[in-house]
Amino acid sequence: MTDRPTYFLQTLGCPKNQVDASYIEGLMEGGGYAAAATPEEADVAIVHTCGFIESAAQESVDALLELGRLKERNPGMTLVASGCLAQRHGRELAEAMPELDVVLGTRDWPALPSA
């Protein structure tokens, strides 16, 4: 058990997103967060989205909706959308999903630990 806040990162889409996920993990851990094994254990749940492949974009939306339902049971959790879908359609995501706390595009990742 850790006394640090925890994060869970779900990465979807292309192989580049897998590389980006390593960067995001480093940012979060450098910001004082510890990785959680499941979203239920996390203080912050991050969905690293894909916005270019239609099926992956839908998978990203589905993952955000699923974690949004988890957040209803755990209102202290922060829900984050990052990545390409957030970059391309961040405003629409934020408007359509009030359960989202943070929407960060691909250029904004360094702000993630403090956001």
Side-chain angles (χ1 to χ4, degrees), residues 49-94:
T49 64
C50 177
F52 293 102
I53 303 166
E54 187 174 338
S55 61
Q58 185 59 53
E59 185 180 18
S60 296
V61 169
D62 292 344
L64 288 166
L65 290 171
E66 182 178 334
L67 288 173
R69 288 188 293 276
L70 174 62
K71 184 179 174 180
E72 289 175 5
R73 298 187 305 272
N74 181 9
M77 183 178 80
T78 300
L79 181 56
V80 179
S82 71
C84 299
L85 187 65
Q87 179 72 37
R88 295 179 75 198
H89 302 289
R91 184 178 320 211
E92 294 94 331
L93 280 174

Side-chain angles (χ1 to χ4, degrees), residues 5-11 17 20-33 43-49 64 78-83 86 100-115:
T6 57
Y7 75 95
F8 176 82
L9 177 61
Q10 182 174 359
T11 303
N17 269 9
D20 294 343
S22 295
Y23 177 70
I24 291 170
E25 289 170 346
L27 284 172
M28 294 301 288
E29 291 170 19
Y33 287 82
D43 298 306
V44 178
I46 305 163
V47 178
H48 190 53
T49 64
L64 288 166
T78 300
L79 181 56
V80 179
S82 71
L100 276 174
D101 298 298
V102 179
V103 178
L104 289 174
T106 56
R107 296 178 192 97
D108 301 322
W109 294 328
L112 186 56
S114 62

